[in-house]
Amino acid sequence: MSAKTLYDKLWESHLVRSEADGTALIYIDRHLVHEVTSPQAFEGLRLAGRKPWRVDANLATPDHNVPTTPREGGVEAIRDPISRTQVETLDANCRDFGITEFQMLDPRQGIVHVIGPEQGATLPGMTVVCGDSHTSTHGAMGALAFGIGTSEVEHVLATQCLIQKKSKAMQIRVEGELGRGVTAKDVVLAIIGEIGTAGGTGYAIEFAGSAIEALSIEGRLTLCNMAIEAGARAGFVAVDDKTIDYVKGRPYAPEGELWEQAVASWRTLHSDRGAQFDRVVTLDATAIRPQVTWGTSPEMVVAVDQRVPDPGEESDGVKAEGMQRALDYMGLQAGTPITEIPLDRVFIGSCTNSRIEDLRAAADVARGRRVAGNVKQALVVPGSGLVKAEAEAEGLDKVFIDAGFEWREPGCSMCLAMNADRLESGERCASTSNRNFEGRQGQGGRTHLVSPAMAAAAAVAGRFVDLADLDKG
Amino acid sequence: MDKFNTFTGIVCPLDRSNVDTDAIIPKQFLKSIKRSGFGPNLFDEWRYLDHGEPGMDNSKRAVNPDFVLNDPRYQGAQILLARENFGCGSSREHAPWALEDYGFKVILAPSFADIFFNNCFKNGLLPIVLKEEIIDSLFKMAMGGQPLEMTVDLQDQRLKLPSGEGIDFEVDPFRKDCLLNGLDDIGLTLQHVEAIRAYEERRRREAPWLFGS
């Protein structure tokens, strides 16, 4: 038998049938549902008189639209009537079709990509889909996970399958030890800086190498979350002891004899020695510095000790024009040191960086310090109700509040500004989210993507700062 | 889905790379629970001078005269000419819905983001990948004084220019068949109910932990 990649194994174990031209029907083990991309899919099911194929494969929660301010008033108190309708529509659809939903007031509610792994609803070896591009996150568990559109949401509901073609396989190896203060977020931003936002288009990416093995599961979730920002629908990491330890005891994880059987199967979820990839990219972990994006695409990224690049030095005309447009939008001058960029707001949260380790890293920086006077708002939005409770049990909420941060209820929040949390035009934000597109955090808003520790440091310094220099003034 | 027939239409050149789905349809319009009506808000932040919100009367808003969609030459365009990595970002199908609702049937670009590319076919939109140099020459033609019109023939996989020149393109045979015949994916998959059931039965034996609740 020839050596297989992890992707081959995940793909082949879910193949229902395939055509001669490679068009395949693959089986979906877990379907996660949220309020924005599902209403039209449920409507489609109703119109066709169809029922969900396997109700127990679905798990739903509202996340994009929910307010992060206190929620005593429940769904009825969501001020924006259109947001409220979407959350109510999700509740009604889940009730009508019998789908398990963690509603807004459920303590388990949260960002769909945080709660999947947290609940053990995402397991190694699964296929996981959701009407959201950041579904790649779940690949950190050794799963094949990718985002789909609403037509496919309806397709999965109706058939438990998707029509797909196999992608090409890429392996990105990050070898060596990461420096102090360099996180999974910096690694993935450095990868995107290296291969570009379209570098992974058409590929499924396996992240490997000693630096990836050394990451915690939460770090790997951050890494795989942004595979889509490199153009790849799916990114994943092989199963190891950390994966298995992480899953054990979670509410949806198997128990007893089934657990033993599952673990034996999960142990095979790695690329075989000698497996062939269509492309291999290798990065030196020791060379990665804390990253800050300067433009309107995640590939527009430099290290914190560098300067805003000059379009005049770019030989590709279309690219230079794009850089200039980004600088104009961002209100930046070429050559400005990154550490001289002042901030108006700070956002710590999103499916990329809102888990307990992220909050701990940010709190470590915030502890005993104060948010700078020029920063109007520094938001901390936990990824789920359970993350929030855990953080509060550790006293992290107090650390943030004492430092002048706002401590909020869980949701997507200012990552995409579909709720009330957003930037005003021209405001500049250090954000732990995943996209710095024009208008992403509010029309005219300017986003710089960073790690949680960097965001907290930027909040207290009022500008970007190398963590090592934080107390030097 | 309507069948995709051969047509002749105006080409609208959108000369930017990495156009993302947030730009195609800003998120405030994603709160709709419907599939239609997104066309007037296609490229909203570039197209209008004010900030758009759902429920506004778009006919009364100030348009940005410098944005290509507002150029009188390209009114009624059905073919969008774009640059690399078009449709990157979110998986929101609202992006192809907005393009389709506006009246576009075809998008030409040197490359597309995967999820967007896939979503197009499910909504009767044909995304066509062409070589960078062909895209460059089309931009030159489309941005000249006269708007460029071309015929799109999916059956023959060919674009026909007014000069008589033809440009051949590739398309996945399965997707082509679905577009030409207006076939719906769910109906096609449900022809394989037996195969899905057989898979589930086997899988339930091999990996029973996947079939809990």
Side-chain angles (χ1 to χ4, degrees), chain A residues 39 41 44 55 59 68 80 99 130 142 153 202 215 225 235 238 252 274 284 347 349 358 381 445 470:
Chain A
V55 170
L59 178 63
T68 58
D80 177 350
I99 290 171
C130 174
V153 169
L215 288 176
N225 173 271
Y252 283 72
D284 173 8
F347 171 62
D358 299 317
V381 184
L470 192 55

Side-chain angles (χ1 to χ4, degrees), chain A residues 13 27 40 53-54 56 80 83 86 132 149-152 155 165 202 416 418 435 438-440 443, chain B residues 16 22 27 30-32 34-35 46 51 89-91 93 114 118-119 172 186 189 192 199-200 210 212:
Chain A
S13 62
Y27 191 81
Q40 297 88 349
W53 179 277
R54 221 188 101 197
D56 71 294
D80 177 350
S83 289
Q86 252 184 2
D132 190 285
T150 298
S151 296
E152 289 176 311
H155 196 280
K165 273 198 170 171
L416 82 169
M418 276 190 74
R435 289 194 176 128
E438 286 185 21
R440 171 79 177 180
Q443 192 172 20
Chain B
R16 297 179 183 225
D22 284 82
K27 65 256 172 184
L30 269 56
K31 295 178 184 177
S32 167
K34 300 201 182 81
R35 246 174 220 270
W46 293 339
H51 172 75
S90 142
S91 68
E93 205 155 310
D114 279 346
N118 206 35
N119 282 341
D172 180 274
I186 296 179
T189 297
H192 303 298
Y199 172 87
E200 279 184 327
L210 292 173

Side-chain angles (χ1 to χ4, degrees), chain A residues 186-207:
Chain A
D186 302 302
V187 172
V188 73
L189 284 172
I191 288 171
I192 296 164
E194 175 79 20
I195 70 171
T197 48
T201 303
Y203 289 93
I205 298 178
E206 178 180 343
F207 297 101

Side-chain angles (χ1 to χ4, degrees), chain B residues 50-115:
Chain B
D50 61 347
H51 172 75
E53 283 293 333
M56 286 170 88
D57 181 352
N58 295 297
S59 65
K60 299 209 170 106
R61 297 172 62 195
V63 300
N64 173 7
D66 299 330
F67 186 57
V68 68
L69 234 56
N70 295 322
D71 187 320
R73 286 178 294 174
Y74 306 122
Q75 296 313 299
Q78 292 176 293
I79 301 164
L80 184 66
L81 179 62
R83 293 286 185 187
E84 63 174 5
N85 203 24
F86 187 83
C88 61
S90 142
S91 68
R92 61 186 70 154
E93 205 155 310
H94 310 68
W97 293 339
L99 287 160
E100 192 270 343
D101 195 61
Y102 178 86
F104 286 117
K105 292 182 168 176
V106 170
I107 308 166
L108 310 173
S111 61
F112 292 89
D114 279 346
I115 302 179

Side-chain angles (χ1 to χ4, degrees), chain B residues 5 14 58 71 75-76 119 170 182 188 191-193 208:
Chain B
N5 297 318
L14 181 65
N58 295 297
D71 187 320
Q75 296 313 299
N119 282 341
E170 294 293 319
L188 288 173
Q191 293 172 3
H192 303 298
V193 164

Side-chain angles (χ1 to χ4, degrees), chain A residues 37-348:
Chain A
T37 53
S38 67
Q40 297 88 349
F42 283 112
E43 190 57 24
L45 277 191
R46 270 195 200 93
L47 288 172
R50 290 176 177 136
K51 288 206 164 71
W53 179 277
R54 221 188 101 197
V55 170
D56 71 294
N58 299 282
L59 178 63
T61 196
D63 56 6
H64 284 60
N65 273 300
V66 295
T68 58
T69 45
R71 294 174 178 169
E72 295 86 29
V75 176
E76 301 78 53
I78 300 179
R79 223 176 288 157
D80 177 350
I82 319 178
S83 289
R84 189 170 63 237
T85 302
Q86 252 184 2
V87 176
E88 285 170 348
T89 304
L90 179 68
D91 290 352
N93 282 328
C94 290
R95 195 174 53 236
D96 290 356
F97 289 102
I99 290 171
T100 302
E101 182 197 6
F102 298 161
Q103 293 193 352
M104 195 179 80
L105 296 179
D106 189 307
R108 298 167 295 178
Q109 179 267 341
I111 304 173
V112 72
H113 307 309
V114 173
I115 70 168
E118 181 176 85
Q119 291 292 321
T122 302
L123 294 173
M126 274 185 164
T127 41
V128 180
V129 298
C130 174
D132 190 285
S133 59
H134 291 111
T135 309
S136 58
T137 310
H138 306 261
M141 309 305 302
L144 177 59
F146 54 91
I148 56 178
T150 298
S151 296
E152 289 176 311
V153 169
E154 183 181 342
H155 196 280
V156 174
L157 283 167
T159 70
Q160 211 53 48
C161 293
L162 281 175
I163 299 171
Q164 297 283 304
K165 273 198 170 171
K166 198 174 175 188
S167 305
K168 289 179 284 183
M170 184 189 300
Q171 190 181 47
I172 297 183
R173 304 192 63 85
V174 187
E175 301 284 6
E177 208 172 315
L178 292 173
R180 264 194 73 169
V182 180
T183 68
K185 181 65 163 285
D186 302 302
V187 172
V188 73
L189 284 172
I191 288 171
I192 296 164
E194 175 79 20
I195 70 171
T197 48
T201 303
Y203 289 93
I205 298 178
E206 178 180 343
F207 297 101
S210 57
I212 305 301
E213 287 162 24
L215 288 176
S216 68
I217 294 299
E218 295 199 356
R220 296 177 193 174
L221 288 163
T222 299
L223 177 77
C224 293
N225 173 271
M226 290 189 68
I228 184 66
E229 261 46 77
R233 290 181 81 172
F236 35 79
V237 178
V239 170
D240 61 11
D241 289 342
K242 286 182 191 172
T243 326
I244 290 166
D245 291 346
Y246 179 92
V247 174
K248 194 169 174 57
R250 305 228 166 229
Y252 283 72
E255 293 172 327
E257 203 177 306
L258 275 183
W259 169 258
E260 298 304 328
Q261 204 181 339
V263 169
S265 159
W266 296 342
R267 292 275 180 207
T268 66
L269 295 173
H270 53 78
S271 290
D272 296 331
R273 193 181 296 272
Q276 293 297 306
F277 293 87
D278 298 291
R279 186 180 172 196
V280 177
V281 176
T282 304
L283 273 79
D284 173 8
T286 61
I288 300 175
R289 303 269 303 124
Q291 304 281 301
V292 179
T293 65
W294 56 268
T296 53
S297 163
E299 69 186 14
M300 295 172 166
V301 64
V302 291
V304 65
D305 52 2
Q306 291 181 298
R307 290 166 186 268
V308 174
D310 184 355
E313 289 168 15
E314 172 60 55
S315 52
D316 177 337
V318 176
K319 219 169 176 182
E321 216 174 286
M323 287 171 75
Q324 189 55 53
R325 187 181 290 132
L327 289 182
D328 293 345
Y329 180 85
M330 294 296 288
L332 290 173
Q333 295 291 326
T336 307
I338 293 295
T339 51
E340 287 178 15
I341 300 174
L343 282 316
D344 301 304
R345 292 184 200 255
V346 170
F347 171 62
I348 297 172

Side-chain angles (χ1 to χ4, degrees), chain A residues 401-415:
Chain A
I401 292 165
D402 289 348
F405 290 79
E406 295 177 32
W407 179 248
R408 296 293 191 91
E409 297 295 321
C412 299
S413 182
M414 207 194 272
C415 173

